[in-house]
């Protein structure tokens, strides 16, 4: 359940930004989570509600944009779509694929009052 | 997270790169507290969504792990300035981390001081085992937490005070999932897999094997008694991480230990490059 710690990090960052960008209440938090990252969206949503209690984020919607995994196959010189870190090249079946996209975990923006 | 020392001030320009700031574990507190870096040039938001009042959306654009990464960066800088080699040992429960560690400490030269941070959910059993070898050890109990984070390690350093030029081993919570994402400021993650486990673990827990620089296959004295495909395991690990180094050893019989000790000594030399007894001259 590292999603719990990740949510604590999210709320800490959102609270910190509240001072700089002057908001006091958060209605929604939008994340960008890569398919190859170590995050389970459902676990994230569960942890988020629990951790948000008693903060300016309490009751906020958690919106998650999933980013597909993309990598580069050096064997056949192609950019390919992958769904897991250990996938081989779907074109030539060789390993390894150099991951170019899909392991991001970012806070994009917040909707505030 | 940082309610104890309130050291989490972060200065952002509204874009995503990190600004490593001094998280002063030695309590010099020489970082500035967040003035002069506010940027409102993007308007109140900097994000445009059709049909939505712009003022109600505020761009954040930060990595979810950015808080942890700030602490880890501060730890890493602290280690670098003192020539301290820090290794983060990770594995499933029962792979033999603590035995490997006690045998390693006994085998390392006494003129190179060693200290240990032990992470477990509960008990101080492991730290007691380490202290029995005569080195300093601090136990961090994470309670319900499944991994150590950069902040916990920073505070452990306050108490542990590892010497300049020493080696610090961090034995993470036995878990091949969560510790992969949390940088502690270490020079390398070392993942330990024992031959009594499944050879396909690199595929099952790819994040960890991707994050590690070295994989140790432990308990090789048991190979004749278990069905463990050594070659396949190494192949899987390299699929995930082509650059990973692999060592086979048995911490119990001592077989293969010299390769591991040589790897440590080489990395000690790297960590100490350019360091005087007083640390780096800045």
């Amino acid at each position: 359940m590292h999603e719990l710690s990740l949510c604590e990090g999210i709320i800490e960052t959102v609270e910190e930004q509240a001072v700089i960008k002057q908001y006091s209440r958060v209605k929604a938090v939008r994340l960008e989570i890569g398919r190859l990252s170590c995050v389970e969206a459902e676990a994230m949503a569960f942890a988020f509600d629990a951790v948000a209690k008693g903060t300016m984020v309490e009751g906020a919607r958690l919106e998650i944009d999933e980013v597909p995994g993309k990598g580069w196959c050096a064997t056949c010189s192609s950019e390919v779509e992958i769904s897991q870190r250990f996938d081989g090249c779907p074109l030539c079946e060789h390993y390894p694929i150099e991951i170019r996209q899909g392991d991001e975990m970012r806070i994009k923006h917040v909707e505030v009052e | 997270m940082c309610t104890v020392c309130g050291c989490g001030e972060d200065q952002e320009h509204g874009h995503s790169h990190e600004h490593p700031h001094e998280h002063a574990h030695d309590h010099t507190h020489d970082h500035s507290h967040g003035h002069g870096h506010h940027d409102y040039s993007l308007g109140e938001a900097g994000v445009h969504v059709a049909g939505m009042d712009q003022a109600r959306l505020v761009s954040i654009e930060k990595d979810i792990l950015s808080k942890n990464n700030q602490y880890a960066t501060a730890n890493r800088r602290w280690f670098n300035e003192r020539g301290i080699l820090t290794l983060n040992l990770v594995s499933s429960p029962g792979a033999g981390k603590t035995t490997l560690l006690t045998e390693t400490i006994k085998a390392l030269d006494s003129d190179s001081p060693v200290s240990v941070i032990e992470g477990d959910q509960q008990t101080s059993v492991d730290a007691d085992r380490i202290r029995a070898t005569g080195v300093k050890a601090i136990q961090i109990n994470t309670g319900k937490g499944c991994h150590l984070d950069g902040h916990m390690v920073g505070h452990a350093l306050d108490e542990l005070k590892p010497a300049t030029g020493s080696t610090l081993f961090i034995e993470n919570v036995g878990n091949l999932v969560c510790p992969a994402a949390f940088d502690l400021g270490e020079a390398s993650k070392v993942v330990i897999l024992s031959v009594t486990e499944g050879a396909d673990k690199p595929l099952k827990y790819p994040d960890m094997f991707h994050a590690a620089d070295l994989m140790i296959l432990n308990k090789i004295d048991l190979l004749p008694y278990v069905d463990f495909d050594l070659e396949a395991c190494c192949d899987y690990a390299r699929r995930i991480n082509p650059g990973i180094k692999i060592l086979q050893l048995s911490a119990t019989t001592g077989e293969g230990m010299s390769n591991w000790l040589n790897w440590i000594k080489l990395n000690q030399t790297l960590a100490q490059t350019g360091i005087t007894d007083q640390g780096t001259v800045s």
Side-chain angles (χ1 to χ4, degrees):
Chain A
M1 272 301 277
H2 54 285
E3 281 82 1
L4 206 63
S5 319
L6 294 177
C7 284
E8 283 172 353
I10 291 170
I11 287 167
E12 214 178 328
T13 302
V14 168
E15 284 178 331
E16 229 173 63
Q17 293 288 307
V19 180
I20 302 168
K21 292 174 178 164
Q22 298 175 340
Y23 53 84
S24 57
R25 185 102 194 106
V26 177
K27 290 167 72 183
V29 177
R30 193 168 201 95
L31 308 179
E32 192 177 70
I33 304 285
R35 281 187 75 178
L36 308 176
S37 75
C38 59
V39 167
E40 198 62 60
E42 245 175 74
M44 199 74 166
F46 176 78
F48 183 79
D49 289 343
V51 175
K53 286 217 168 67
T55 73
M56 66 166 67
V57 189
E58 181 166 357
R61 279 194 322 280
L62 183 69
E63 303 165 344
I64 299 178
D65 288 337
E66 204 181 56
V67 183
K70 276 189 189 159
W72 176 255
C73 174
T75 314
C76 68
S77 301
S78 351
E79 192 177 78
V80 292
E81 203 151 304
I82 49 173
S83 57
Q84 296 174 102
R85 212 181 258 287
F86 53 81
D87 277 354
C89 176
L91 305 174
C92 72
E93 295 181 356
H94 278 85
Y95 298 96
I97 299 291
E98 183 197 316
I99 291 165
R100 295 240 167 126
Q101 178 191 296
D103 55 1
E104 47 279 274
M105 299 194 286
R106 295 186 63 74
I107 310 169
K108 294 297 289 175
H109 61 252
V110 287
E111 194 185 321
V112 301
E113 277 178 357
Chain B
M1 226 176 282
C2 195
T3 49
V4 183
C5 58
C7 50
E9 283 280 337
D10 180 22
Q11 294 113 54
E12 272 294 307
H13 303 270
H15 49 86
S16 63
H17 62 256
E18 298 261 352
H19 295 269
H21 76 286
E22 182 68 43
H23 169 64
H25 294 300
D26 45 3
H27 293 296
T28 55
H29 283 287
D30 55 351
H31 54 292
S32 64
H33 283 271
H35 20 85
H37 284 78
H38 304 179
D39 184 355
Y40 300 102
S41 62
L42 291 170
E44 286 200 55
V47 175
H48 299 270
V49 173
M52 188 141 212
D53 177 6
Q54 192 209 357
R56 297 173 69 86
L57 277 188
V58 175
S59 173
I60 305 280
E61 292 294 346
K62 282 171 72 82
D63 194 295
I64 288 176
L65 285 166
S66 60
K67 288 304 298 180
N68 182 71
N69 291 345
Q70 281 172 30
Y71 295 128
T73 301
N75 293 345
R76 183 166 286 116
R77 182 171 156 193
W78 197 90
F79 297 137
N80 285 346
E81 286 169 352
R82 289 161 183 77
I84 297 170
L85 170 66
T86 304
L87 300 174
N88 181 0
L89 307 188
V90 291
S91 79
S92 315
K97 283 194 300 296
T98 313
T99 303
L100 176 65
L101 205 45
T102 52
E103 294 309 309
T104 303
I105 291 165
K106 285 183 213 162
L108 282 172
D109 300 336
S110 52
D111 57 10
S112 137
V114 169
S115 53
V116 175
I117 295 175
E118 276 290 337
D120 279 300
Q121 286 199 313
Q122 298 295 344
T123 83
S124 63
V125 173
D126 280 0
D128 296 342
R129 276 178 71 187
I130 300 293
R131 283 188 205 111
T133 66
V135 306
K136 278 203 290 187
I138 283 203
Q139 179 82 48
I140 301 176
N141 283 137
T142 56
K144 292 186 176 61
C146 46
H147 57 268
L148 295 175
D149 64 36
H151 194 217
M152 293 174 190
V153 167
H155 279 295
L157 294 176
D158 286 342
E159 201 179 326
L160 196 62
K161 296 184 178 66
T164 297
S166 67
T167 300
L168 171 66
F169 292 100
I170 302 175
E171 185 180 338
N172 218 315
V173 179
N175 176 350
L176 278 179
V177 186
C178 311
F182 290 81
D183 185 8
L184 307 178
E186 71 273 0
S188 289
K189 282 192 180 68
V190 177
V191 61
I192 297 141
L193 183 63
S194 62
V195 301
T196 54
E197 303 170 59
D200 53 2
K201 274 205 173 157
L203 295 186
K204 288 180 171 166
Y205 304 98
D207 293 316
M208 187 59 89
F209 290 83
H210 186 258
D213 289 323
L214 176 69
M215 171 167 91
I216 289 181
L217 288 170
N218 192 19
K219 308 189 190 179
I220 54 163
D221 52 314
L222 300 179
L223 272 175
Y225 313 104
V226 292
D227 182 21
F228 184 87
D229 191 336
L230 203 67
E231 205 178 316
C233 181
C234 295
D235 180 48
Y236 295 150
R238 291 193 179 105
R239 263 190 215 178
I240 307 294
N241 180 356
I244 199 166
K245 306 267 189 234
I246 301 173
L247 291 176
Q248 302 173 30
L249 58 83
S250 165
T252 310
T253 67
E255 185 184 353
M257 279 291 279
S258 58
N259 291 329
W260 160 236
L261 297 170
N262 286 338
W263 186 88
I264 294 172
K265 284 174 187 161
L266 205 65
N267 283 282
Q268 284 171 334
T269 307
L270 279 175
Q272 289 160 14
T273 305
I275 305 291
T276 65
D277 288 346
Q278 284 74 44
T280 41
V281 182
S282 52

